[in-house]
Amino acid sequence: MSPSASSGRPRLAVVGIPANRRTGLFQDAVRAAGLPAARTVSWREVLRGEAVFLPGETVRVDSPGEDAEVDTLLRGGDDPTRVEGSARWYTRFTSAVREVAHEAAAAGAVLLDGPRDIAVMFDKRLCHGVLDNAGVPVPDSPTSGPAADPVRGWADVRRLMAEHRLPRVFLKPAHGSSASGVMALETAGPGRVRAATSVERDARGRLFNSLRVRHCTTEREVAALVDALAPDGLHLERWLPKASQRGRVADLRVVVVAGRATHAVVRTSRSPMTNLHLGGARGDLAGAQAAIGAAGGSWGAALAVCEQAAACFPDTLCVGVDLLPATGWRRFAVGEVNAFGDLLPGLTGLPGSGAEGLDTYGAQVAAVRLAARAAPAEDLRRATAPQAADGRRTGPPGGPPGAAGCPADDRARNDGARNDRAIDRH
């Protein structure tokens, strides 16, 4: 039994960027919980083979973003705004996460984030396939799963769209994040193509992320972008018509901690991409809940879909689920599950979630503390995310209300409502 577990006061460490806001917000939550500051292990130390973990530590893995040197070590090149290099980034990043897991285990520390889970979440093709196989409603995709044919360029995209009757698709770099390289693409016959994207090309043909969404209206321009993106891997999925709020398209980011949906925010935009850095804005959550109820749907069932998606990653304490409401606010699909989807400053927990008054980081610290108190003699990682005999996520001992059992099924039954699992795909 480690001193950390036996005292019921976990000693925390975080692998992250020491000076950035994610690490700062997590440290704020640790202090607010009355715990000693988490020891910070920098991604630079990890990537240089210098990381050290201590016996009894509980280790949180956070994003390696917002550090130019770390990005260079992972991606290569010298400009973090470049789009290319995501496949190299993925290979080096997932290798580094596995090394963190190995070193932590060797030292007698435990991880709150599973390296296999992270590897799947950072490959959109694999993540989509895992969700689909688990019965989570997702958009149609011809590139889902490990056995799907690779997309080698525009000719493959055109062929797949025609074969699968997908006139409108989202085309995403397999390993991108924050809408990097994403293209909302629609076709209407030979030569009639329109795409919305934040990708820009310079005079030398290099691809960069921009802070504005622009439109490409010729097949030649779209084909050139797709052909340049393809070497890093591409994922293709049906562009579902989404619900709107005050004339703007809307979706939701739902944070799930220890099996329970604890935080939710509506994201709205005038473009197909709702990311805040691309002009998106937080919407009205109460208005969305009212719209769901007025349509005959269930807010609880919507959250249950997110919990069902999170249960596909049982070795990870916290994920952010992108929930796509269909036009009319009655049905939902999951767009992505994000390993580092908890950066929602100032947002407190949903009523009845067990995280009222806590931000996303505070909810995670509380879950770890509850697990340490309830099962001090057990491996804390198992206590934080145990599984039933059939492999289902059961939630932490003493966790938030509703965390035990199969959260998706329980919540849907308790609400007496059913979310249509297959969103209209035509």
Side-chain angles (χ1 to χ4, degrees):
M1 180 188 308
S2 71
S4 173
S6 63
S7 67
R9 289 169 55 87
R11 295 202 311 269
L12 295 167
V14 56
V15 178
I17 306 299
N20 80 357
R21 53 187 175 164
R22 291 177 178 273
T23 302
L25 288 167
F26 181 67
Q27 292 284 21
D28 290 345
V30 172
R31 286 191 291 269
L35 298 174
R39 194 174 65 88
T40 300
V41 180
S42 75
W43 273 108
R44 296 184 187 185
E45 292 175 299
V46 171
L47 294 170
R48 292 170 180 165
E50 301 168 355
V52 174
F53 299 97
L54 304 178
E57 283 187 323
T58 300
V59 181
R60 164 187 167 84
V61 178
D62 211 331
S63 169
E66 300 182 14
D67 185 295
E69 181 180 343
V70 169
D71 189 78
T72 297
L73 291 170
L74 290 172
R75 185 188 302 270
D78 57 0
D79 191 333
T81 67
R82 289 285 297 277
V83 177
E84 300 99 328
S86 60
R88 183 186 301 113
W89 182 97
Y90 175 79
T91 298
R92 293 177 177 176
F93 170 63
T94 52
S95 176
V97 172
R98 290 194 298 271
E99 184 62 23
V100 166
H102 174 77
E103 294 297 327
V110 292
L111 286 184
L112 296 176
D113 311 87
R116 294 179 185 175
D117 287 354
I118 289 175
V120 171
M121 283 186 273
F122 272 94
D123 188 319
K124 291 178 173 57
R125 301 161 299 190
L126 297 179
C127 185
H128 192 284
V130 165
L131 295 171
D132 195 24
N133 288 340
V136 177
V138 291
D140 280 348
S141 172
T143 58
S144 175
D149 291 334
V151 177
R152 294 157 296 192
W154 175 241
D156 285 345
V157 171
R158 264 295 205 180
R159 174 180 56 81
L160 290 170
M161 291 177 71
E163 289 178 354
H164 294 268
R165 298 182 180 180
L166 301 173
R168 302 172 79 241
V169 299
F170 269 94
L171 188 66
K172 305 177 180 180
H175 311 299
S177 60
S178 301
S180 174
V182 171
M183 184 179 295
L185 175 65
E186 48 192 332
T187 62
R192 298 180 61 188
V193 174
R194 178 180 170 87
T197 183
S198 62
V199 178
E200 294 187 352
R201 291 170 64 96
D202 68 5
R204 295 164 57 184
R206 299 177 302 174
L207 304 183
F208 291 86
N209 286 305
S210 170
L211 294 179
R212 68 182 182 92
V213 176
R214 66 190 189 89
H215 291 90
C216 306
T217 57
T218 69
E219 184 164 4
R220 180 178 180 180
E221 184 180 13
V222 171
L225 285 177
V226 173
D227 288 344
L229 291 166
D232 280 316
L234 291 172
H235 173 62
L236 189 74
E237 65 185 34
R238 184 183 293 277
W239 177 354
L240 298 174
K242 287 195 289 190
S244 63
Q245 192 173 84
R246 297 173 184 169
R248 297 163 64 95
V249 297
D251 61 20
L252 296 98
R253 167 64 59 82
V254 179
V255 176
V256 181
V257 178
R260 179 72 171 181
T262 57
H263 297 73
V265 63
V266 178
R267 308 181 301 182
T268 70
S269 177
R270 299 195 184 282
S271 81
M273 281 78 81
T274 58
N275 303 73
L276 298 182
H277 71 285
L278 295 177
R282 289 193 183 186
D284 179 2
L285 182 60
Q289 293 169 325
I292 292 168
S298 163
W299 172 242
L303 295 184
V305 171
C306 300
E307 293 172 351
Q308 183 187 7
C312 295
F313 304 97
D315 293 331
T316 298
L317 175 65
C318 174
V319 298
V321 180
D322 289 346
L323 188 66
L324 314 179
T327 302
W329 289 100
R330 180 176 172 82
R331 291 172 294 173
F332 300 86
V334 171
E336 297 181 15
V337 180
N338 305 273
F340 307 132
D342 52 3
L343 183 61
L344 297 169
L347 187 69
T348 53
L350 294 166
S353 68
E356 297 89 342
L358 299 174
D359 68 7
T360 59
Y361 300 96
Q364 293 169 66
V365 173
V368 172
R369 293 191 71 186
L370 285 169
R373 290 171 179 169
E378 297 180 18
D379 171 76
L380 183 57
R381 224 278 307 137
R382 288 201 309 272
T384 307
Q387 297 181 45
D390 61 359
R392 293 183 302 167
R393 176 75 164 271
T394 62
C406 181
D409 292 345
D410 288 347
R411 191 194 292 268
R413 281 197 298 268
N414 291 341
D415 286 332
R418 177 178 62 88
N419 179 68
D420 293 331
R421 296 170 64 85
I423 203 164
D424 186 6
R425 299 181 174 185
H426 300 287

